[in-house]
Amino acid sequence: MAEESCHKLKKLQAMAKVDMRPVDGVQCPTFEKVQRCLQPFCLSKKQLEHVRDLILDDMERGLKKDPPKKSTLKMLPTYVRSTPDGSESGEFLVLDLGGGKFRILKVKLESCHRAEMQSEIYAIPEEIMIGTGQQLFDHVAECLGHFLHQRNLKKTILPLGFTFSFPCVQSKLDKSVLISWTKGFHCSGVEGKDVVQLLKDAIHRRGDYKVDVVAIVNDTVGTMMSCGYQDHSCEVGLIVGTGSNVCYMEEIGNIESVEGDEGKMCINVEWGALGDDGELSDIQTEFDHQVDITSITHGKQCFDKMVSGMYMGEIVRMVLIKLASQGLLFNGVTSPALLTKRCFQTRDLSAIEDDHTGLDAARQILSLLGLKPSEQDCLMVQCVCGAVSARSASLCAAGLAAVATRILQNRQDPKGSVVVGVDGSVYKMHPKFSAHLQLALKDLAPGCQVKFLLSEDGSGKGTAVVTAVAQRLATQRLRINEVLAPFNLSLEKLKEIQGRMRMEMDIGLRKQTQPTASVKMLPTYVRATPNGTERGDFIALDLGGTNFRVLFVHVGKKEEGGVQIVSKSFSLAQEVIQGTGVELFDHIVDCITEFQEENDLRGRRLPLGFTFSFPCRQTSLDQGILITWTKGFSASGCVGEDVVRLLREAAIRKGNSDLMVVALVNDTVGTMMSCGYDDPACEIGLIVGTGTNACYMEEMKNIEVLEGSDGLMCVNMEWGAFGDNGCLENIISDFDRDVDQFSINPGKQKYEKMISGMYLGEIVRQILIVLTKSGILFGGKISERLKTRDIFPTKFLSLIESDTLGLVQVRSILTDLGLRSTCDDTVLVKEVCTIVSKRAAQMCAAGIAAVVEKIRENRGLDNLKTTVGVDGTLYKLHPHFAVNVQETVKILAPQCDVTFLRSDDGSGKGAALITAVACRIAGAEARAA
């Protein structure tokens, strides 16, 4: 660190036994005066920590659109969204413009991390550097034409990456507006303009060749990408050369000027302007002020002028002049050369600080400046150079510590590792700079493991890699869009689904066509919704999945607590649900008996509502014929039988005489009734959980399979089978077909298999496999676990799509599946989950839109106001499913004002309420008789 030079001075003072000179009549040691002069360059740990924290704060503010205090760090989005994955290959052109000379390269990348490069260097005359922008870009285009002509490439259109090492604001990967010139450039008509377009215009004016400008890249970004080609974990680029800058991969969600919140984007920090607001005045020296005053960017690039190679030599020159003027160097004699601006270069510091040849180099360099240095002069000049370069390294370390801290904070991993790609003549050529920087960094970021990689031509090879990554991502995006295209449902497609659902509803309601209808439209014999007068104690059963519930429900006055429930869940083993019907219903009665005994209900013959969430054809309120098992059930001897009779027979076998079954209830109907107790406008029920279904109150006159035409009856749609007749073939994807083929009921419940929670995770798994086989995900490697069917449950979709779950947590889910994922992988997995769940929500909404439109037309209304009672884990727990359903219904049924009300236990509370309503109606009929 900078203290080393101060210590060296003390050592030098002892070695020289103190050179005493008369100063104002007082004997004063020379080296103590030199030490005092250099002391401001010796920054303490506390000062460096302050700089680190200042940079961290400025980074945070720089990422915001409207911070309370403007940041001096530009924090510019680069639109570089991914680092290399090692598969990049091809031939590319690179134009590298960042100083008084520029390069043109032809780079051939091979997927084995090799790069072949041909390059030419072209000078930029000073009159062009300070001329017009058109002169500059015409000169560049002319040189590019010469380069292509030499290699017979004028007729070949190659992708070009443009390294433009000046502060710019990018709005796209290939669009970048220059903020201000640096490094001695002052071309008019360029600041505030898109430099890519200026380059394209210049090439167009020539008209003798074409190139495809894919990306404009800052040299720091090129450095990061060049090293990322070798080590894919590299996420930081650092340059310390003529200028100094850093870039790093930031979470897109933190970049307020960029839309989106998923993935990462490289941020060009542009840290050279740190301190332009005066925040670094405490550590600036008089020499820094002198260098600033004489620069062409007076008052700007404060940090850069304390750090970069363009100014270090000039700072040393200023110090030498002062020491000489005080008689502390060169016997008080200067030379015209020493007084000449920029006569002392940063490369001279590197030579002088060499431990072996430094003193000889100092003598030679000083002699060329017309000075006659003594050995002691050479030693002191070496100390001056050391103090200036060590301060530069320490300040760079403070900045890098801030960047590393930011990255680890984003990862929520305070003890993690960071890989930094480095380039620049100062870092590479100075004999001690890198050691000083790394030593200081350990003090300033003690918990972070930092690995440094030297860049191999960041502005050349690195820019080619950026261009290659952009092309790879574009190619991959085409494939991703192709794979996901069937899940992107247009408004036209959704209206088509809505229309077909409506058509199938009509078919299911007609007596002639109902037996072959895919949407069964089953009468439930539920003729009314709750009116608030229901009272009593009831038993409710809930069978619809691998957990079976028994409930005791008390229905009282709403002001006295309304509905009160005591319940217990029982697990149903696989051998029970896939065994015989006798075994299944005997087990159910055993569970009921256990519940009755635990709650002192034996001997009380209470009305019972049986929620049975499988397709049934009801012939009365307490009789229902099972049409088919779903949801993994396959108990034999049940299909075609009355399930209430099966329950009663089991009760007789088990000696339980307390069961009085009043109503057989579908869970969807129970949901409608549960919500109807809270909202009298509720006349539709919707379930979207393990399975999916809907019911609604239909006009009796439209239900042709029943006699009578007065009033309403709830119709259980059993819409899961929608599409089983082939009417959705143009909507169904190959992934849906695969899931259907390997399900326990191939060819059945096709609509349900595109919507419900039982299948969405499996659809996602199939897509992930295809994208992995395409080499887009997980490095093309499929884990054994991912090959396992149903290993990706739908709850993963809810977790992955959660707005509160970071990509780190998403990656942990993938790790549990044996998948090594990158940030890009996690973003794409989230995209896949999102599009699959969105399609499910939109298709569900198309079904609901058909229902509400039918109710509106039944009643001859211009506008309908109604409520849908909803239950099911997918609807309730998925972070976006409900909103997608609601928004799509608004679009598809604009004349219907639809409220969605979440049910609190539709299958339990709802079954009890149906039983209560039935008892109320039966009581009223008895009294009327």
Side-chain angles (χ1 to χ4, degrees):
M1 293 173 66
E3 286 94 333
E4 180 182 326
S5 291
C6 301
H7 295 323
K8 192 168 185 177
L9 272 169
K10 291 180 179 178
K11 184 178 179 182
L12 186 61
Q13 181 178 359
M15 288 172 60
K17 295 189 170 43
V18 185
D19 177 20
M20 308 291 285
R21 292 182 185 275
V23 180
D24 295 332
V26 180
Q27 298 293 319
C28 180
T30 298
F31 289 108
E32 286 185 5
K33 286 193 173 184
V34 174
Q35 185 176 345
R36 281 199 297 272
C37 182
L38 296 182
Q39 187 60 44
F41 292 98
C42 302
L43 300 177
S44 67
K45 183 180 178 181
K46 185 177 180 180
Q47 287 174 307
L48 292 172
E49 287 174 340
H50 173 72
V51 174
R52 176 199 64 196
D53 296 343
L54 177 66
I55 293 174
L56 260 175
D57 183 58
D58 264 28
M59 289 172 71
E60 179 71 28
R61 285 187 281 115
L63 291 169
K64 297 188 180 301
K65 268 187 178 179
D66 299 302
K69 179 186 175 185
K70 190 175 180 181
S71 173
T72 56
L73 303 181
K74 298 295 184 185
M75 302 298 287
L76 304 171
T78 66
Y79 294 84
V80 172
R81 296 173 181 264
S82 180
T83 50
D85 68 359
S87 66
E88 292 76 15
S89 61
E91 293 188 345
F92 307 90
L93 293 172
V94 174
L95 174 59
D96 177 14
L97 176 60
K101 296 179 180 178
F102 72 97
R103 290 187 307 159
I104 301 173
L105 304 92
K106 176 177 171 286
V107 182
K108 183 179 180 181
L109 297 176
E110 299 177 357
S111 56
C112 54
H113 306 297
R114 289 180 54 196
E116 295 179 8
M117 294 187 284
Q118 302 172 22
S119 67
E120 296 278 349
I121 296 176
Y122 298 89
I124 303 177
E126 189 172 353
E127 60 270 20
I128 290 180
M129 290 177 67
I130 59 174
T132 67
Q134 182 167 326
Q135 288 174 320
L136 172 65
F137 285 99
D138 281 348
H139 176 64
V140 170
E142 180 183 354
C143 295
L144 180 56
H146 175 265
F147 182 88
L148 295 172
H149 176 73
Q150 280 187 322
R151 290 159 179 78
N152 295 318
L153 293 173
K154 277 198 169 183
K155 293 184 179 180
T156 304
I157 302 176
L158 290 175
L160 181 142
F162 184 12
T163 303
F164 190 72
S165 305
F166 302 93
C168 289
V169 174
Q170 281 189 253
S171 54
K172 294 180 181 177
L173 188 59
D174 63 348
K175 183 173 183 179
S176 192
V177 173
L178 177 66
I179 299 172
S180 61
W181 284 115
T182 56
K183 305 176 187 177
F185 279 76
H186 239 296
C187 299
S188 61
V190 182
E191 292 180 355
K193 299 289 181 63
D194 175 14
V195 293
V196 173
Q197 191 58 51
L198 294 177
L199 174 63
K200 289 179 177 179
D201 292 344
I203 293 170
H204 181 72
R205 282 193 292 272
R206 287 184 59 85
D208 58 338
Y209 65 87
K210 292 181 179 179
V211 295
D212 179 17
V213 184
V214 172
I216 181 163
V217 183
N218 178 277
D219 55 350
T220 321
V221 180
T223 294
M224 180 188 76
M225 296 294 272
S226 171
C227 293
Y229 192 60
Q230 307 300 325
D231 184 337
H232 308 324
S233 59
C234 181
E235 289 194 329
V236 182
L238 171 67
I239 288 195
V240 195
T242 305
S244 177
N245 193 18
V246 73
C247 70
Y248 73 103
M249 297 300 290
E250 175 62 79
E251 302 289 333
I252 287 181
N254 296 331
I255 310 170
E256 292 188 0
S257 61
V258 174
E259 290 186 5
D261 57 3
E262 301 301 337
K264 295 182 180 181
M265 180 180 287
C266 183
I267 288 291
N268 170 20
V269 176
E270 287 295 346
W271 72 8
L274 180 75
D276 286 3
D277 57 356
E279 288 282 2
L280 295 180
S281 59
D282 288 349
I283 63 170
Q284 284 178 292
T285 68
E286 59 183 285
F287 310 107
D288 297 313
H289 290 299
Q290 289 172 0
V291 167
D292 178 52
I293 290 169
T294 57
S295 71
I296 61 173
T297 54
H298 175 49
K300 297 180 180 179
Q301 297 298 104
C302 170
F303 191 69
D304 197 47
K305 288 170 183 172
M306 300 169 73
V307 167
S308 71
M310 187 171 185
Y311 302 99
M312 286 165 60
E314 188 65 3
I315 292 171
V316 169
R317 186 181 74 87
M318 296 289 187
V319 176
L320 298 185
I321 290 172
K322 178 174 181 177
L323 293 176
S325 69
Q326 292 180 344
L328 302 174
L329 274 180
F330 317 131
N331 291 319
V333 177
T334 60
S335 67
L338 184 63
L339 297 175
T340 303
K341 188 177 178 181
R342 300 202 180 284
C343 70
F344 200 95
Q345 299 292 316
T346 298
R347 64 173 176 266
D348 297 333
L349 273 77
S350 298
I352 289 171
E353 288 193 67
D354 187 279
D355 284 336
H356 303 291
T357 60
L359 292 177
D360 289 338
R363 185 176 295 105
Q364 183 179 359
I365 291 165
L366 295 170
S367 297
L368 288 173
L369 292 175
L371 300 165
K372 296 180 179 179
S374 65
E375 183 176 355
Q376 181 174 294
D377 288 335
C378 292
L379 283 167
M380 283 196 290
V381 169
Q382 196 175 52
C383 288
V384 172
C385 292
V388 172
S389 66
R391 181 188 69 160
S392 171
S394 298
L395 288 171
C396 274
L400 202 53
V403 171
T405 301
R406 174 83 192 180
I407 290 173
L408 297 184
Q409 285 174 348
N410 286 342
R411 291 184 198 161
Q412 300 175 15
D413 179 15
K415 299 290 184 180
S417 62
V418 175
V419 178
V420 181
V422 198
D423 205 350
S425 55
V426 173
Y427 188 93
K428 285 184 170 181
M429 306 303 296
H430 191 284
K432 299 180 179 180
F433 191 93
S434 62
H436 279 316
L437 189 153
Q438 293 176 37
L439 184 63
L441 187 58
K442 286 181 180 178
D443 278 343
L444 298 170
C448 179
Q449 301 298 315
V450 182
K451 175 183 175 183
F452 289 87
L453 296 176
L454 285 179
S455 169
E456 298 175 13
D457 193 0
S459 55
K461 174 185 168 184
T463 298
V465 172
V466 172
T467 309
V469 168
Q471 283 212 319
R472 168 175 62 80
L473 292 178
T475 302
Q476 289 180 348
R477 176 43 59 183
L478 290 175
R479 175 61 177 148
I480 292 165
N481 290 346
E482 178 188 354
V483 171
L484 299 182
F487 296 88
N488 280 311
L489 299 180
S490 64
L491 180 59
E492 182 183 0
K493 286 282 186 189
L494 290 170
K495 287 182 176 179
E496 185 181 331
I497 295 168
Q498 177 185 359
R500 289 178 185 176
M501 176 67 84
R502 174 59 193 276
M503 189 183 303
E504 293 297 314
M505 290 170 68
D506 289 339
I507 291 171
L509 287 170
R510 294 192 199 109
K511 190 172 185 177
Q512 260 190 321
T513 54
Q514 198 277 338
T516 59
S518 64
V519 180
K520 293 300 180 184
M521 305 297 286
L522 304 172
T524 66
Y525 295 85
V526 173
R527 296 173 179 268
T529 53
N531 65 6
T533 64
E534 293 79 15
R535 303 285 185 273
D537 293 336
F538 306 90
I539 294 291
L541 309 180
D542 176 16
L543 178 63
T546 53
N547 285 323
F548 167 66
R549 288 192 307 152
V550 185
L551 307 91
F552 171 69
V553 182
H554 173 75
V555 181
K557 294 180 180 179
K558 288 186 179 181
E559 59 271 20
E560 295 176 356
V563 177
Q564 298 173 359
I565 298 174
V566 176
S567 68
K568 182 175 181 178
S569 292
F570 299 86
S571 179
L572 299 180
Q574 198 79 2
E575 57 268 22
V576 172
I577 67 174
Q578 295 182 356
T580 67
V582 170
E583 291 169 340
L584 173 62
F585 281 93
D586 280 357
H587 182 73
I588 286 172
V589 172
D590 286 341
C591 296
I592 297 169
T593 302
E594 180 180 326
F595 178 82
Q596 288 173 323
E597 289 173 349
E598 289 177 357
N599 293 278
D600 296 325
L601 295 174
R602 289 307 300 268
R604 293 186 65 185
R605 191 170 166 80
L606 298 175
L608 184 150
F610 184 11
T611 299
F612 188 75
S613 304
F614 302 91
C616 286
R617 180 177 292 105
Q618 284 190 251
T619 53
S620 66
L621 187 60
D622 65 346
Q623 186 178 53
I625 309 300
L626 177 63
I627 299 171
T628 182
W629 282 119
T630 58
K631 306 174 190 176
F633 279 66
S634 59
S636 62
C638 298
V639 174
E641 300 292 334
D642 175 12
V643 293
V644 174
R645 180 179 60 78
L646 294 177
L647 177 64
R648 286 169 175 160
E649 289 175 352
I652 293 170
R653 283 194 300 272
K654 290 291 183 175
N656 189 329
S657 58
D658 296 334
L659 305 188
M660 182 173 64
V661 183
V662 172
L664 180 68
V665 183
N666 179 276
D667 56 349
T668 321
V669 182
T671 294
M672 180 189 75
M673 297 294 276
S674 172
C675 293
Y677 181 76
D678 299 312
D679 181 354
C682 182
E683 52 189 341
I684 302 166
L686 170 65
I687 295 268
V688 196
T690 307
T692 182
N693 193 18
C695 69
Y696 72 101
M697 299 300 290
E698 177 61 87
E699 305 284 337
M700 276 292 295
K701 63 185 179 183
N702 294 330
I703 308 174
E704 293 184 6
V705 295
L706 295 181
E707 294 182 2
S709 58
D710 294 334
L712 303 172
M713 180 179 287
C714 181
V715 168
N716 169 20
M717 294 178 67
E718 288 297 341
W719 74 2
F722 177 44
D724 287 3
N725 59 358
C727 69
L728 293 179
E729 281 307 301
N730 67 324
I731 306 295
I732 294 173
S733 71
D734 288 340
F735 301 104
D736 299 310
R737 292 186 179 93
D738 183 272
V739 168
D740 176 54
Q741 179 185 349
F742 290 95
S743 68
I744 62 171
N745 55 349
K748 297 181 179 179
Q749 300 296 108
K750 289 189 176 181
Y751 187 61
E752 180 171 84
K753 288 170 184 172
M754 300 168 77
I755 289 178
S756 74
M758 189 169 184
Y759 303 98
L760 296 189
E762 181 61 13
I763 294 172
V764 168
R765 188 186 72 88
Q766 295 290 344
I767 296 172
L768 298 185
I769 288 174
V770 168
L771 292 176
T772 305
K773 286 181 177 179
S774 300
I776 297 172
L777 276 175
F778 314 127
K781 296 176 182 176
I782 303 174
S783 70
E784 287 302 316
R785 294 205 71 197
L786 189 61
K787 294 177 185 176
T788 307
R789 288 194 174 271
D790 301 319
I791 197 69
F792 200 98
T794 298
K795 70 177 181 183
F796 280 3
L797 276 73
S798 297
L799 289 170
I800 289 170
E801 292 184 63
S802 170
D803 295 328
T804 59
L805 195 67
L807 294 181
V808 173
Q809 290 91 336
V810 174
R811 189 175 294 181
S812 71
I813 292 173
L814 299 175
T815 300
D816 289 342
L817 293 173
L819 299 165
R820 295 186 63 182
S821 60
T822 65
C823 174
D824 292 342
D825 290 335
T826 57
V827 172
L828 181 52
V829 169
K830 189 166 186 176
E831 180 183 350
V832 171
C833 292
T834 299
I835 199 168
V836 169
S837 66
K838 185 174 182 180
R839 182 193 69 160
Q842 289 178 324
M843 291 191 69
C844 179
I848 289 295
V851 172
V852 295
E853 279 295 316
K854 183 168 194 332
I855 294 174
R856 184 183 67 81
E857 291 172 17
N858 282 348
R859 298 174 189 174
L861 300 173
D862 291 332
N863 294 284
L864 172 72
K865 185 175 176 63
T866 190
T867 297
V868 179
V870 198
D871 205 349
T873 52
L874 186 57
Y875 187 94
K876 285 183 171 181
L877 300 180
H878 190 281
H880 307 295
F881 194 94
V883 172
N884 285 331
V885 169
Q886 293 165 27
E887 290 180 349
T888 307
V889 169
K890 283 182 182 178
I891 294 169
L892 296 177
Q895 292 172 267
C896 300
D897 181 3
V898 183
T899 299
F900 287 82
L901 181 63
R902 296 191 182 200
S903 167
D904 55 344
D905 194 5
S907 52
K909 172 183 170 184
L913 286 167
I914 289 175
T915 308
V917 169
C919 292
R920 169 173 60 81
I921 292 173
E925 290 174 348
R927 287 190 295 274

